[in-house]
Amino acid sequence: MEASIILPILKKKLAFLSGGKDRRSGLILTIPLCLEQTNMDELSVTLDYLLSIPSEKCKARGFTVIVDGRKSQWNVVKTVVLMLQNVVPAEVSLVCVVKPDEFWDKKVTHFCFWKEKDRLGFEVILVSANKLTRYIEPCQLTEDFGGSLTYDHMDWLNKRLVFEKFTKESTSLLDELALINNGSDKGNQQEKERSVDLNFLPSVDPETVLQTGHELLSELQQRRFNGSDGGVSWSPMDDELLAQPQVMKLLDSLREQYTRYQEVCRQRSKRTQLEEIQQKVMQVVNWLEGPGSEQLRAQWGIGDSIRASQALQQKHEEIESQHSEWFAVYVELNHQIAALLNAGDEEDLVELKSLQQQLSDVCYRQASQLEFRQNLLQAALEFHGVAQDLSQQLDGLLGMLCVDVAPADGASIQQTLKLLEEKLKSVDVGLQGLREKGQGLLDQISNQASWAYGKDVTIENKENVDHIQGVMEDMQLRKQRCEDMVDVRRLKMLQMVQLFKCEEDAAQAVEWLSELLDALLKTHIRLGDDAQETKVLLEKHRKFVDVAQSTYDYGRQLLQATVVLCQSLRCTSRSSGDTLPRLNRVWKQFTIASEERVHRLEMAIAFHSNAEKILQDCPEEPEAINDEEQFDEIEAVGKSLLDRLTVPVVYPDGTEQYFGSPSDMASTAEHIRDRMKLVSLKRQQLSHPEMVTTES
């Protein structure tokens, strides 16, 4: 019977063992009756429970029962005493009925108990509370009977509940631990085959039970210690009632079984952990070699453009994300395996190392495949990026070549030609970069078969290889076409540069010729002071005309070259409508002015030559000097020359232009007049010599 079952009855304190003893060292059982009617069934249950507590040794000494009837009726007391015969007839040695102050009928009570003595089997005495010490020592009586023994029923009941709970739990726990431990030993003997017992767990926490037991034992030891030193009687849960030895024995057994259980749990936990690791390792391996590898096998293409490669990269990142979850499991498993290896259990080392090696091989192989695939896609993306840039450069170059060139001058053509060469050079660099990227990508694809798990990727690789080579060949052809067009455009632009150069030089020739004409009119005005000087001037003029003729011829040649270039370029030259008429006009003006200059110089030579013959004293030729016709001719030439100096040069367009300034012309005319005066004076001398003599 457990106290927890009859706890409401025990709380009523219908009977109790205070811990006190009689002079025979028998335990004192107290039954406090009250004014209310006592439930005999509950009292019987209480007595049965209390009498089950002491040991057989204590029971053999007998009990002294104190029936406190001071607050009850005689018939109730009599019923209780008679009930003792049925409950504990052999253990009761003395029953002390504490009578109330208002005494019952002595004859009735004395006669009744005396009459029933032989049948009851124990002695019953009536005694007042103050006379109870005749049979029991005061130190063994509670305060209710004038004794000094301290008893707290609720405290005892709580401790009893704790004791019984501990006893029950520890006993049950010992059975469970023994079953688990024995099952574990049996499992070890059967080559680690797990039995049902190994899956069984204790119904209560061993640590909690042990803690409760230690607290209970400490309480029992403390009460015994206090009882020994303070003189207070021991409680019914002391060493006499086997509480402390029983608790100690249970604790020792629990510690022993719990230690074994901990070792069993450790072994079980290690084995369970090992099996979980095996299971997780196989999950990782099966997924990586199964769905994970299938995902990689399905992704073999490299795309045909940047957008396609980027889409494949995004798909690969999703695959990597799924793999990352399993790689995280791999890292965790690797740490767990390393921890188990450090524990040093030799029987599991081989298996653990095998698992670790298998897991590492599969994970590293899969990680290498992922990295290879990522590098391949990155290389493909770079290849398509270079191809796109090169295609744009070729499109730009082709667009530039398709536009007709209409520059304003040679400098702009040179700038355009320079830009064209730069673009072509950039295309060359881009094509070279494309070849390098393509070759690197081809090298990577050629290594793809090394991780294909035996899968024939020749056909799939051939598609990628054909695509890469096709892109490079297409770019090469486009670049070659652009080069051919650049060569044609370069030749055309060089011809245009030559055309502009010819036009510029022709225009320059016109400017030079205009400058020669201007110099002829403004600076070539002197006619010389004598025949010799005039002849020198005439010779210089002829050379001057030769220079102008060369300039004109050079301009004509340039203009003829522009005509040829225009025909080659199929364009209209501006020189034929502008420069050539200007050149011809200036040359015509120069020719007219030059001829006028020659006429004047020739007339001046004739004038000075004849004048000098007249003016020189030549006695050898008197007849010549006396020739009047010569004088007339000189005078006529002089006048004609003077008249010519006043006449302007008239161009075909009707414009007029004078040689030099009026002052320059006046100075030249004055010199001629002076010479004419000398000739006239000479004529007079020859015609009238006497007049000359008279004047002399």
Side-chain angles (χ1 to χ4, degrees), residues 189-453:
Q189 294 173 2
Q190 296 177 354
E191 299 179 356
K192 298 182 179 179
E193 293 182 0
R194 299 186 61 187
S195 64
V196 179
D197 294 333
L198 290 177
N199 293 323
F200 181 71
L201 295 176
S203 58
V204 293
D205 181 21
E207 293 285 350
T208 304
V209 176
L210 284 172
Q211 182 179 359
T212 302
H214 285 298
E215 293 175 354
L216 179 59
L217 181 60
S218 175
E219 178 68 21
L220 293 175
Q221 291 174 343
Q222 185 68 23
R223 293 177 64 175
R224 180 176 182 180
F225 177 77
N226 292 338
S228 300
D229 294 344
V232 181
S233 299
W234 297 348
S235 72
M237 292 184 66
D238 60 8
D239 188 43
E240 292 291 329
L241 299 180
L242 296 180
Q244 183 174 333
Q246 187 176 356
V247 172
M248 294 177 64
K249 182 178 180 181
L250 288 172
L251 286 174
D252 292 340
S253 299
L254 276 176
R255 279 192 289 266
E256 178 183 358
Q257 291 293 337
Y258 184 54
T259 301
R260 290 182 59 193
Y261 171 73
Q262 287 179 317
E263 179 62 22
V264 169
C265 289
R266 190 184 71 83
Q267 293 295 334
R268 181 197 300 174
S269 175
K270 184 183 70 173
R271 192 63 198 175
T272 302
Q273 186 177 8
L274 182 59
E275 292 177 354
E276 291 178 353
I277 289 176
Q278 287 177 331
Q279 183 180 3
K280 290 182 179 179
V281 167
M282 294 313 300
Q283 288 178 350
V284 175
V285 170
N286 292 335
W287 190 89
L288 292 179
E289 292 183 344
S293 297
E294 287 299 327
Q295 288 178 347
L296 285 177
R297 290 192 189 103
Q299 298 294 317
W300 55 267
I302 60 173
D304 57 359
S305 63
I306 293 180
R307 180 174 299 178
S309 296
Q310 289 175 341
L312 289 174
Q313 271 192 334
Q314 183 176 1
K315 178 63 177 178
H316 183 73
E317 289 175 357
E318 295 175 358
I319 296 175
E320 281 186 333
S321 177
Q322 296 180 21
H323 279 74
S324 298
E325 298 177 1
W326 291 98
F327 287 153
V329 177
Y330 156 70
V331 173
E332 181 182 357
L333 288 175
N334 203 29
H335 287 321
Q336 294 178 3
I337 294 174
L340 291 177
L341 289 174
N342 292 331
D345 292 336
E346 296 182 359
E347 58 182 2
D348 298 327
L349 287 180
V350 176
E351 185 176 2
L352 286 172
K353 289 183 178 179
S354 175
L355 287 173
Q356 188 179 41
Q357 188 63 40
Q358 180 185 12
L359 184 63
S360 297
D361 291 343
V362 173
C363 289
Y364 279 116
R365 183 169 61 247
Q366 199 75 358
S368 299
Q369 296 169 14
L370 288 170
E371 183 179 6
F372 178 87
R373 176 64 179 169
Q374 177 62 34
N375 294 336
L376 182 66
L377 290 176
Q378 183 62 34
L381 182 63
E382 294 175 358
F383 172 77
H384 289 124
V386 174
Q388 179 174 299
D389 293 341
L390 179 58
S391 179
Q392 292 175 353
Q393 291 177 2
L394 289 170
D395 291 340
L397 180 58
L398 183 61
M400 184 177 178
L401 293 171
C402 291
V403 177
D404 193 16
V405 180
D409 51 32
S412 62
I413 294 179
Q414 292 285 1
Q415 185 67 26
T416 304
L417 185 60
K418 181 180 178 181
L419 179 60
L420 197 64
E421 296 291 347
E422 290 177 353
K423 285 184 174 294
L424 185 60
K425 183 178 180 180
S426 177
V427 167
D428 288 334
V429 174
L431 183 59
Q432 181 62 31
L434 181 66
R435 291 196 186 106
E436 294 176 357
K437 295 292 184 181
Q439 187 59 47
L441 186 55
L442 290 174
D443 293 341
Q444 284 184 308
I445 292 176
S446 65
N447 297 328
Q448 187 174 7
S450 62
W451 52 266
Y453 286 113

Side-chain angles (χ1 to χ4, degrees), residues 507-638:
Q508 185 64 49
V510 174
E511 294 296 329
W512 288 343
L513 197 58
S514 298
E515 292 175 358
L516 290 175
L517 175 60
D518 188 64
L520 175 63
L521 294 173
K522 291 183 179 180
T523 62
H524 294 206
I525 55 177
R526 294 185 68 253
L527 297 179
D529 295 335
D530 52 34
Q532 184 64 30
E533 183 181 3
T534 303
K535 290 179 180 180
V536 172
L537 290 175
L538 180 60
E539 184 64 24
K540 288 182 178 180
H541 177 71
R542 288 194 179 107
K543 292 180 180 180
F544 183 76
V545 172
D546 291 340
V547 172
Q549 181 69 49
S550 298
T551 302
Y552 171 72
D553 293 341
Y554 175 66
R556 291 281 299 185
Q557 292 173 0
L558 291 174
L559 291 175
Q560 290 176 358
T562 58
V563 172
V564 175
L565 290 173
C566 286
Q567 292 176 351
S568 176
L569 295 172
R570 297 179 182 178
C571 65
T572 302
S573 173
R574 295 173 296 175
S575 300
S576 60
D578 182 17
T579 308
L580 182 59
R582 286 176 54 213
L583 178 65
N584 292 330
R585 183 174 64 254
V586 174
W587 174 247
K588 186 64 177 178
Q589 292 176 352
F590 183 86
T591 302
I592 294 173
S594 176
E595 290 177 352
E596 178 64 23
R597 174 67 174 168
V598 170
H599 289 321
R600 292 185 182 188
L601 288 174
E602 288 177 347
M603 292 177 66
I605 290 173
F607 173 75
H608 286 302
S609 297
N610 293 328
E612 289 175 357
K613 289 180 181 181
I614 295 298
L615 294 177
Q616 289 179 354
D617 188 6
C618 297
E620 294 83 3
E621 299 179 356
E623 67 281 359
I625 300 175
N626 294 325
D627 192 354
E628 290 292 332
E629 293 180 358
Q630 290 184 357
F631 286 101
D632 295 337
E633 182 180 355
I634 293 172
E635 184 178 0
V637 171

